[in-house]
Amino acid sequence: MDVKKTIIEKIWEQHIVRSHTGEPDLLYIDLHLVHEVTSPQAFEALRLTDRPVRRPDLTLATVDHNVPTQGRDLPNPDPLSTKQIETMQKNAAEFGIPLWDIFDTRQGVVHIIAPEHGLTQPGMTIVCGDSHTSTHGAFGSLAFGIGTSEVEHVLATQTLPQVPPETMSVEVTGSLSPGVTSKDVILAIIRRMGVDGGVGRVIEYRGELIESLSMEARMTVCNMTIEAGARAGLIAPDEVTFEYLKGRSMAPQGEAWDAAVKDWSSLKTDNGAEFDHSIVLNGSEIEPHVTWGTTPAQSVPISGRVPGPEDFTTAAGKETAERALTYMDLESGQRIEDINIDRVFIGSCTNGRIEDLREAASVLKGKRISETVKAMVVPGSGPVKIQAEAEGLDSIFKNAGFEWRDPGCSMCLGMNPDILLPGERSASTSNRNFEGRQGAGGRTHLVSPTMAAAAAVAGHFVDIREI
Amino acid sequence: MKTIESIQGKTIPLNRADVDTDQIMPKQFLKRIERSGYGPFAFYEWRKEESFVLNDSNYTGAPIMLAQQNFGCGSSREHAVWGLEDIGVQAILAPSFADIFRNNCSKVGLLTIVLDQSDIDYLMSRAEELPDSQVRIDLSSQTVKLEGSDWQRSFEIDPFVKHRLLNGLDDIGITMQYEDEISNYESSRSSKKPDTSSAFEDTMKVG
Ligand code: SF4
């Protein structure tokens, strides 16, 4: 009888260059994405050791973390950012790597640009010096974040030594209730798993609810896999995946397309294959979520209240909750709907795609944001921006009082001027609510695009199901 | 990479769980393109709190950090490890680490050791009460010892990482010895896989 395998094991085995007892497996990397922040030291090391980039044709670079989202044609006031962007340009030119540079219409957040051109495909191994590389798993690829030493390793050898992960099935049954999005699903999953529940594991998301999601919604789920500590998360490719890829410029065309679909279809987990770990969530019970603390696992349904130290059993849990409440300036027992916000950020590799903007715009149509709120939309990429403008979404946002910006990471991490001031509180569609993530002293609540839009109008969190 | 055999010295009790790399090295310092000099920026915001452990002169120069579960979670930024390295940390002991951070440490030559929660709590309270306590880590025998006491524990480490750290071996140099295997893999690799050569073209087609 054949050994039953999970999709994770299948992709892994197809990429083993060398396997030797007592050593990690040496895996071949099909695609290496590069951005300006985590790569300069890697290129410098190549220069010092006189090593070339082995496969520039399997490498793609962009600038996203540091770029300003307005006034790009003006001189960048930040000399350090300028230097880092120029360093990326110089490195790409010297090592022969394609770069979607700041004025290229294809420029955008690294995890948005590869999928939208059909470059991210099922069955691939994909790495990037960025923890949210897990996003690409939505296509049934094994995609994970790496550090700068590993970036150098991949540039030099197109391989990475890796210890095989444990496998985990996260099954979500049922269907999305009205007003609930894939962002709420992944927040619910992280809340259940905890921020370290996935350490050492690769997750396959499965089940009826996951299958019902669009590609973009699947990317939101896989994107935040790292927030549960897992190395990667993926979803088996199916008709939804193929439909999305078909016709995109970097996807296979003609006869090659049919052959590719056949290969991709063989990737899914065999019936009866066993996972090392598994959990099941009833998706129909998931409500819109809002984070209250300083880790993505600290979330509650919108109908809920801010928990307190008394809600945690361990001493460490109590202490963590206490610290989070102090930082967030919240009180235990406070209703989530009573939390007022100052800023709204719609964007990032979690929720900066066209569907996200459409959903947010549908809430804002004909409305004005609260006078006490400053809000901005940062499309995830050039093509997302162009598409949104073609659909008139930019006017809806602008008429509602939002700023309409150029693509980049922006206030997701605030490496450019888009930051929270100390004490400011945001409703953000990004993925991390760590202390100071969006600006020193800033307080971040993670939500879906529709919840963010509704909060912008009300000036506080509201239940999207009631409007 | 330098070799590691044993590490001995005082320990810094960083008694917080889920410490993310945004705290260890805030984003404003990731704009630097240099590989060194990150020490002054490590825990930049937390250092503004007077009571923060790294502001306590009792622990100045300690080569070992004690941390709580899930240390190093979040962003993949290796700058976090460079910052710890730059303030003289050579080993971190915790009940668990985030994957990417731990990997990054192993590449830079910083030893990460997982001990039981109760052992970490014990060492943590020792370090808090008696900052001069000395801990000795021996990599070959995979042991951690509290000097001047009977307390000793053994720890697990990936044999390959151990070999690299003991011998100060460069990972890339090791992989480059397998050039034949890499070339063989490439020649049998499917030609259907995408490449990025068309990315040089100045055209855009989406959807
Ligand atoms: S949008 Fe945020 S999470 Fe995504 S790559 Fe940029 S900084 Fe990282």
Side-chain angles (χ1 to χ4, degrees):
Chain A
M1 202 179 71
D2 282 354
V3 184
K4 311 281 189 215
K5 288 179 187 155
T6 64
I7 179 173
I8 301 160
E9 293 154 317
K10 290 185 194 181
I11 300 175
W12 189 276
E13 285 169 15
Q14 289 172 9
H15 290 85
I16 294 179
V17 170
R18 173 192 159 89
S19 185
H20 203 268
T21 323
E23 290 176 20
D25 289 342
L26 191 62
L27 288 193
Y28 200 78
I29 303 302
D30 290 322
L31 177 63
H32 185 191
L33 300 166
V34 173
H35 66 74
E36 78 277 21
V37 175
T38 54
S39 67
Q41 296 83 359
F43 284 110
E44 184 58 21
L46 289 186
R47 225 174 260 125
L48 291 172
T49 48
D50 210 10
R51 288 169 176 154
V53 171
R54 184 182 180 92
R55 296 296 301 265
D57 63 328
L58 301 182
T59 312
L60 175 64
T62 195
V63 288
D64 54 3
H65 283 62
N66 252 328
V67 295
T69 57
Q70 60 185 359
R72 275 195 189 164
D73 34 1
L74 305 171
N76 188 334
D78 180 345
L80 284 176
S81 288
T82 309
K83 180 96 190 276
Q84 204 161 52
I85 293 165
E86 285 171 1
T87 302
M88 186 71 257
Q89 292 161 345
K90 179 170 148 258
N91 287 331
E94 183 180 332
F95 289 93
I97 293 168
L99 167 68
W100 290 351
D101 205 355
I102 186 159
F103 292 113
D104 193 304
T105 38
R106 297 163 293 186
Q107 176 268 340
V109 181
V110 67
H111 309 307
I112 294 195
I113 61 174
E116 75 189 345
H117 296 275
L119 181 56
T120 297
Q121 295 170 21
M124 292 169 74
T125 44
I126 302 177
V127 297
C128 174
D130 194 285
S131 59
H132 292 97
T133 309
S134 56
T135 313
H136 306 264
F139 291 80
S141 63
L142 185 66
F144 51 94
I146 57 178
T148 299
S149 294
E150 291 175 305
V151 169
E152 182 192 344
H153 197 123
V154 178
L155 289 172
T157 69
Q158 203 57 34
T159 64
L160 258 191
Q162 287 283 309
V163 179
E166 292 175 8
T167 58
M168 178 171 193
S169 157
V170 172
E171 184 183 345
V172 189
T173 61
S175 57
L176 284 180
S177 309
V180 179
T181 70
S182 63
K183 178 65 162 283
D184 304 302
V185 173
I186 187 63
L187 284 172
I189 292 172
I190 298 165
R191 182 177 175 214
R192 163 90 172 265
M193 287 180 63
V195 278
D196 58 353
V199 171
R201 304 175 183 177
V202 172
I203 294 173
E204 181 187 351
Y205 298 101
R206 9 179 27 204
E208 220 179 317
L209 187 144
I210 299 292
E211 286 165 24
S212 76
L213 298 176
S214 71
M215 275 324 289
E216 297 200 354
R218 291 180 187 186
M219 283 189 251
T220 304
V221 171
C222 290
N223 173 273
M224 289 189 72
T225 302
I226 184 69
E227 311 311 336
R231 286 162 72 176
L234 51 73
I235 296 171
D238 60 10
E239 285 307 318
V240 177
T241 323
F242 307 151
E243 194 49 43
Y244 178 94
L245 280 171
K246 196 164 189 180
R248 287 185 192 252
S249 64
M250 294 169 100
Q253 318 283 342
E255 270 175 40
W257 169 261
D258 298 329
V261 169
K262 196 161 159 255
D263 282 355
W264 297 340
S265 305
S266 68
L267 287 169
K268 59 174 182 292
T269 294
D270 297 329
N271 279 333
E274 281 180 30
F275 288 84
D276 299 319
H277 310 270
S278 58
I279 57 168
V280 182
L281 272 83
N282 181 349
S284 305
E285 284 175 358
I286 297 173
E287 295 181 55
H289 272 59
V290 181
T291 62
W292 56 269
T294 52
T295 77
Q298 291 171 323
S299 68
V300 283
I302 175 69
S303 56
R305 290 172 186 271
V306 176
E310 63 281 4
D311 297 308
F312 296 84
T313 47
T314 63
K318 287 182 196 297
E319 211 179 298
T320 309
E322 213 153 336
R323 194 179 157 83
L325 290 184
T326 308
Y327 182 85
M328 293 297 290
D329 191 26
L330 293 173
E331 288 191 14
S332 144
Q334 202 173 342
R335 275 169 26 107
I336 296 289
E337 294 205 49
D338 292 341
I339 301 174
N340 293 325
I341 53 158
D342 311 300
R343 305 284 294 268
V344 170
F345 170 67
I346 296 180
S348 88
C349 58
T350 312
N351 282 128
R353 283 170 288 266
I354 190 70
E355 286 179 12
D356 301 312
L357 303 197
R358 283 182 193 137
E359 285 177 13
S362 73
V363 174
L364 293 168
K365 202 164 186 172
K367 299 209 176 83
R368 281 293 298 178
I369 62 172
S370 160
E371 271 171 18
T372 60
V373 170
K374 265 178 71 182
M376 64 199 277
V377 189
V378 182
S381 71
V384 170
K385 185 169 193 222
I386 293 167
Q387 178 66 27
E389 289 176 354
E391 295 177 19
L393 304 183
D394 58 323
S395 314
I396 297 178
F397 284 116
K398 284 189 270 194
N399 291 339
F402 270 77
E403 290 179 37
W404 179 248
R405 298 292 189 92
D406 288 327
C409 295
S410 178
M411 211 206 271
C412 174
L413 92 166
M415 272 189 81
N416 69 357
D418 309 339
I419 55 169
L420 292 181
L421 299 176
E424 275 190 329
R425 187 182 295 285
S426 77
S428 176
T429 67
S430 55
N431 44 48
R432 286 190 175 137
N433 50 344
F434 297 153
E435 289 181 24
R437 168 80 176 179
Q438 297 191 293
R443 302 177 176 126
T444 302
H445 297 269
L446 304 176
V447 286
S448 72
T450 45
M451 285 285 287
V457 173
H460 56 85
F461 290 109
V462 285
D463 191 336
I464 189 70
R465 295 167 298 185
E466 286 164 14
I467 54 173
Chain B
M1 205 164 80
K2 56 182 189 308
T3 57
I4 303 181
E5 268 170 42
S6 59
I7 298 164
Q8 178 167 344
K10 294 196 279 191
T11 55
I12 309 162
L14 182 61
N15 205 356
R16 287 181 195 176
D18 302 321
V19 171
D20 60 77
T21 54
D22 275 73
Q23 308 313 319
I24 306 175
M25 189 57 58
K27 72 248 172 168
Q28 62 269 38
F29 308 112
L30 310 185
K31 291 181 188 171
R32 303 175 73 242
I33 58 167
E34 293 80 15
R35 165 66 176 74
S36 57
Y38 289 88
F41 315 126
F43 298 101
Y44 190 78
E45 288 302 320
W46 289 359
R47 273 194 188 173
K48 292 179 183 168
E49 301 167 26
E50 212 182 308
S51 61
F52 183 56
V53 66
L54 284 179
N55 292 331
D56 186 337
S57 58
N58 279 320
Y59 304 107
T60 309
I64 301 168
M65 180 168 269
L66 299 170
Q68 289 295 1
Q69 66 170 33
N70 198 29
F71 189 74
C73 60
S75 160
S76 64
R77 56 188 73 165
E78 199 165 306
H79 312 66
V81 184
W82 301 337
L84 291 167
E85 184 191 31
D86 206 48
I87 59 171
V89 173
Q90 298 170 42
I92 310 170
L93 275 51
S96 64
F97 293 92
D99 281 333
I100 305 178
F101 176 81
R102 198 168 193 204
N103 238 337
N104 289 343
C105 284
S106 87
K107 309 288 171 181
V108 169
L110 219 125
L111 189 57
T112 51
I113 296 175
V114 171
L115 293 179
D116 285 349
Q117 181 71 53
S118 55
D119 291 330
I120 292 293
D121 289 343
Y122 175 68
L123 291 176
M124 200 73 83
S125 59
R126 280 290 293 219
E128 283 166 354
E129 285 154 25
L130 305 164
D132 286 328
S133 308
Q134 295 268 318
V135 166
R136 183 182 169 84
I137 301 168
D138 187 77
L139 181 54
S140 347
S141 65
Q142 300 180 210
T143 50
V144 182
K145 193 172 176 334
L146 185 60
E147 293 289 22
S149 81
D150 298 340
W151 192 94
Q152 179 170 326
R153 294 289 181 272
S154 54
F155 61 88
E156 299 284 321
I157 182 168
D158 179 283
F160 190 68
V161 172
K162 177 177 175 181
H163 170 71
R164 279 203 303 105
L165 295 178
L166 279 174
N167 299 290
L169 296 177
D170 161 26
D171 230 354
I172 300 180
I174 297 176
T175 298
M176 286 198 146
Q177 296 169 9
Y178 308 133
E179 171 56 35
D180 287 352
E181 276 118 313
I182 302 173
S183 303
N184 283 344
Y185 183 91
E186 282 178 332
S187 52
S188 63
R189 190 172 167 266
S190 164
S191 58
K192 293 193 294 263
K193 299 258 180 162
D195 69 50
T196 60
S197 18
S198 69
F200 280 112
E201 291 163 22
D202 205 10
T203 53
M204 186 181 77
K205 181 170 167 280
V206 182

